[in-house]
Amino acid sequence: MNVAIFRTGPMLLWTAVLLFVPCVGKTAWLYLQAWPNPVFEGDALTLQCQGWKNTPLSQVKFYRDGKFLHSPKKTQTLSMEAATVQSSGQYSCTGQVMYIPQIFTLTSETVMVQVQELFPPPVLSASPSPEPREGSLVTLRCQTKLHPLRSTLRLLFSFHKDSHTLQDRGPHPELCIPGVKEGDSGLYWCEVALKGGQVQKQSPQLGVRVQAPVSCPVLTLHHGPTDPAVGDMVQLLCEAQRGSPPILYLFYLDEKIVGNHSAPCGGNASLLFPVKSEQDAGNYSCEAENGVSRERSEPKKLSLKGSQVLSIPTSSNWLVPWLPVSLLGMMVIAAALLVYLRPWRKAGPLPSQIPPPAPGGEQCPLYANVQHQKEKDEGIVYSVVHRTSKRSEARPAEFAAERKDSPIIYAEVRCLQPSEVSSKEVNIRSTLQESLGDCEEVLC
C-alpha cells in the first residue's frame, strides 16, 4: 500500500503543474517587449523576451515575420543600433522554461513593430530646366522634409555627378553651376544624411543635357572628276562640327528646299539625287538646326556639262557694303565723261586762232573760200579772206588802199580725187588778210 502511494505522488505533482501550464506553445507565460515607441529610422530598437514573473529563460530566439532572426547568448535581449524601414514587421520570441524534471519550450505572442520614416528619399531638380542652353546658369535643388515629430534634427546635403563629388555634405540644399558647358552634361544625384550619419538617402539620378548651338555647317558636293551631266548622280554632304543632337539638316537649291534629313545622334547628313535636267544646276546650300540655333552654309555652285550657270549669291546682304562704293564709282565715271565731252559740245577755233576783236567791240566772223583746181595744180585752192568793218562799206576807196598793205597768210589744202581718198593728203591754201580796224569779209 505504501509503495502505491509512493508511485502515484509524482503523477499528482505533474498534474498540478499542467494546471498552471495548460499547453506548450503560445502562452502568457512568455511575452515580448519592444522600445522605443514610436520608433524612427536611425533609432536604436530593443527587443526583450521575458517569462512570467521573470521566470528564467534559456535558449531564447527572436523571429520576424516567422523567420529566425537571432539567438543571443546568455541574454534575453536583442538590440538593433539603427532601425530602418525594412526593420518593420511582426516580431516574436521563444524560450525554454525548466519545470523539474521537465523543460518546456514556450513562444510569445507576436508584436507589430513599425519603423517610421525620418524623411523621404530626396528629389533632385534642375532650374530652369534639365536641358539648359550653353552659357546659362543652372541651379540644382535637393528636396526632402523631416517628420514633424523629429523636425529639430539637422540634415546635411551633398551633390554628385556620375562618379564625382561636386559638393561635400553641408547645410545648403542647393548647388549653382554658372555658365554651363556641353561638358557639364551627365547624370546628377544628391544625398541627404542625418547629422551623425545614422541615416542617409540618395535621390534618383537626374539627366542634365546642355544644349549647345550648332556651328556653321560645311557643304560638300560629290560627283565625278568632271562636271556631271544629265543622268549622273550627285551627293550633297552637310556637316555641323558641333551642336547638341538631334540636328535637322535642310538642303537648298538657290532658295528652294530640295530635301531634309535628321541626325538623331549628331554628325553629318547627305542627300543623293540624279541630275534630271539643266534646272538641277545652280547654287546649293544646307542649313543645320537643333532647337537652339540655326546656321546656313556657304553656297556651292553645281555646273553641268555644256551649261552656263552663274553663281549668284543667295543672300542680298552682299549688296549692303558695296552699295556706297558702287554709287561713288558711278559718280566719278559720270564726272569724267562730262569733262571729256564738254570741249566737243562747243565747237570753235582754239583760243590762239580766235581773231582779235574789232576796235568798235564787234567781232567779225571769218570765212574761207575753197575751190577745186585742175589736176596739174594737185587740187590746191587759194583763198584770200579780207575782214572789214561796216564802216568800210561807206569808204571803199580807203578799204582798197588798206588792202594793198595788209599782210597775207596762205594755207594749202590738198583736195583728194575719189580714187586717192585713202592714199593722198588734202592741201588747202588760204590767203587771209587781217585788218587792224573794223572789218568786213570779202571773198575773192
Side-chain angles (χ1 to χ4, degrees), residues 123-320:
V123 176
L124 183 65
S125 62
S127 178
S129 169
E131 295 185 354
R133 293 193 175 188
E134 190 176 46
S136 61
L137 172 67
V138 176
T139 302
L140 300 178
R141 291 187 178 91
C142 192
Q143 297 174 321
T144 189
K145 187 176 181 181
L146 282 167
H147 192 280
L149 296 178
R150 300 295 178 90
S151 59
T152 58
L153 298 178
R154 185 180 179 185
L155 297 177
L156 301 178
F157 302 85
S158 62
F159 293 87
H160 310 266
K161 174 181 179 290
D162 299 329
S163 59
H164 306 287
T165 300
L166 302 178
Q167 178 178 293
D168 289 329
R169 290 180 179 178
H172 303 291
E174 294 185 354
L175 174 65
C176 295
I177 306 177
V180 293
K181 302 177 181 179
E182 194 172 7
D184 293 324
S185 299
L187 295 177
Y188 290 78
W189 52 278
C190 68
E191 183 181 79
V192 179
L194 188 65
K195 188 177 181 179
Q198 297 90 343
V199 182
Q200 53 189 22
K201 298 182 181 181
Q202 294 182 2
S203 69
Q205 291 183 334
L206 173 66
V208 175
R209 188 179 66 174
V210 179
Q211 297 292 315
V214 294
S215 59
C216 185
V218 177
L219 179 66
T220 307
L221 303 182
H222 292 283
H223 50 76
T226 60
D227 291 339
V230 175
D232 292 343
M233 300 298 294
V234 176
Q235 183 185 32
L236 306 179
L237 182 64
C238 187
E239 181 177 12
Q241 295 294 330
R242 65 183 304 269
S244 300
I247 300 176
L248 177 64
Y249 291 96
L250 299 175
F251 295 90
Y252 292 84
L253 171 56
D254 296 329
E255 292 299 322
K256 181 181 178 182
I257 298 178
V258 294
N260 63 79
H261 183 76
S262 178
C265 300
N268 57 36
S270 62
L271 177 66
L272 183 66
F273 65 94
V275 178
K276 297 180 179 179
S277 65
E278 291 188 357
Q279 294 181 354
D280 292 332
N283 293 286
Y284 285 85
S285 61
C286 68
E287 185 177 76
E289 189 269 332
N290 68 344
V292 181
S293 65
R294 176 181 297 180
E295 295 291 340
R296 188 83 167 262
S297 71
E298 292 293 331
K300 290 295 183 67
K301 172 186 172 184
L302 176 64
S303 300
L304 302 182
K305 289 182 179 179
S307 65
Q308 295 181 351
V309 181
L310 296 179
S311 178
I312 302 175
T314 57
S315 174
S316 60
N317 293 335
W318 66 276
L319 291 174
V320 175

Side-chain angles (χ1 to χ4, degrees), residues 351 353-365 387 389 391 435-439:
Q353 296 176 341
I354 298 176
E362 296 180 0
Q363 181 68 39
C364 299
R387 292 186 294 184
S389 63
R391 291 177 296 179
S435 175
L436 297 177
D438 294 337
C439 59

Side-chain angles (χ1 to χ4, degrees), residues 47 94 96 114 134 161 187 256 261 329 333 357 386 441:
L47 302 175
T94 61
Q96 293 181 353
Q114 182 66 51
E134 190 176 46
K161 174 181 179 290
L187 295 177
K256 181 181 178 182
H261 183 76
I333 294 174
H386 303 276
E441 298 165 3

Side-chain angles (χ1 to χ4, degrees), residues 65-91:
D65 298 330
K67 296 180 180 180
F68 173 74
L69 186 62
H70 188 65
S71 179
K73 296 179 179 180
K74 299 180 181 182
T75 181
Q76 301 174 197
T77 304
L78 174 63
S79 296
M80 301 180 185
E81 293 182 357
T84 63
V85 176
Q86 289 74 23
S87 301
S88 301
Q90 300 281 346
Y91 286 83

Side-chain angles (χ1 to χ4, degrees), residues 30-37 44-51 54 57 60-63 76-80 91-94 108-113:
L30 198 64
Y31 60 92
L32 179 67
Q33 288 182 329
W35 71 86
N37 187 25
L45 177 61
T46 302
L47 302 175
Q48 186 174 27
C49 190
Q50 289 182 327
N54 294 325
L57 300 175
V60 176
K61 297 180 182 179
F62 292 90
Y63 297 84
Q76 301 174 197
T77 304
L78 174 63
S79 296
M80 301 180 185
Y91 286 83
S92 62
C93 68
T94 61
S108 69
E109 294 287 343
T110 59
V111 176
M112 179 63 190
V113 176

